[in-house]
């Protein structure tokens, strides 16, 4: 029901904007994007329509939130800060992976041959964890 109501609301919004703005409506890229989303949403209104193939395109409706970033300076600052900090997060992630690799190599070097396992011993052979729990 909410999908139906939102789709009808967006159709009304697009029609009113086109009626008021005329050719200026199509000069704004956000309006073109909204019109494409409305056109994609129309088959969803038909109960047994061809909406199965277009369901994957519903994800693009989430991009309408990008318009809010344009209109709100505070939200624009927050999103800008997140985008700028992604570079530092990538470097930090690379550093963490490097530490894990170094300690993995160090652990294999120090403890790799320290444990002797008897293949015939039942305690050391576990085909899967469920067999271990049955005993």
């Amino acid at each position: 029901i909410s999908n139906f109501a939102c789709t009808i609301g967006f159709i009304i919004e697009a029609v009113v904007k086109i009626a008021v703005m005329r050719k200026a409506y199509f000069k704004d890229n956000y309006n073109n994007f909204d019109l494409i989303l409305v056109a994609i949403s129309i088959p969803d209104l038909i109960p047994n329509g061809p909406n199965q193939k277009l369901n994957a395109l519903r994800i693009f409706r989430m991009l309408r939130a990008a318009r809010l970033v344009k209109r709100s300076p505070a939200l624009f600052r927050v999103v800008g800060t997140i985008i700028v900090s992604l570079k530092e997060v990538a470097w930090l992630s690379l550093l963490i992976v490097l530490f894990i690799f170094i300690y993995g190599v160090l652990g294999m070097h120090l403890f790799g041959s320290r444990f002797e396992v008897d293949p015939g011993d039942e305690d050391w052979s576990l085909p899967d964890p469920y067999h271990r729990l049955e005993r």
Side-chain angles (χ1 to χ4, degrees):
I1 294 175
S2 64
N3 183 32
F4 182 78
C6 287
T7 303
I8 294 295
F10 290 136
I11 289 172
I12 292 170
E13 175 194 10
V15 169
V16 168
K17 275 185 154 182
I18 290 172
V20 171
M21 297 174 69
R22 307 220 185 253
K23 290 183 181 180
Y25 178 83
F26 297 103
K27 291 180 181 176
D28 186 15
N29 289 333
Y30 283 113
N31 288 336
N32 292 332
F33 179 68
D34 278 345
L35 188 63
I36 290 169
L37 287 179
V38 166
I40 289 171
S41 301
I42 289 174
D44 287 340
L45 298 177
I46 303 168
N48 294 324
N51 58 357
Q52 294 299 325
K53 294 179 182 176
L54 297 176
N55 278 341
L57 298 176
R58 283 185 179 181
I59 193 74
F60 291 112
R61 292 183 191 174
M62 298 291 292
L63 294 177
R64 283 182 183 243
R67 294 178 66 185
L68 294 176
V69 174
K70 180 183 173 187
R71 293 182 181 168
S72 171
L75 190 58
F76 184 77
R77 261 193 316 266
V78 169
V79 171
T81 304
I82 290 171
I83 289 172
V84 168
S85 67
L86 285 178
K87 182 179 176 185
E88 283 79 15
V89 169
W91 284 112
L92 182 65
S93 300
L94 184 67
L95 185 66
I96 290 171
V97 168
L98 181 67
F99 275 121
I100 290 172
F101 177 76
I102 289 172
Y103 281 112
V105 169
L106 183 66
M108 288 299 294
H109 179 71
L110 293 175
F111 304 111
S113 61
R114 298 273 192 235
F115 300 105
E116 297 295 329
V117 178
D118 181 18
D121 189 9
E122 264 188 38
D123 290 335
W124 286 97
S125 62
L126 298 174
D128 59 44
Y130 301 108
H131 284 94
R132 182 73 175 168
L133 294 174
E134 288 176 359
R135 287 192 229 160

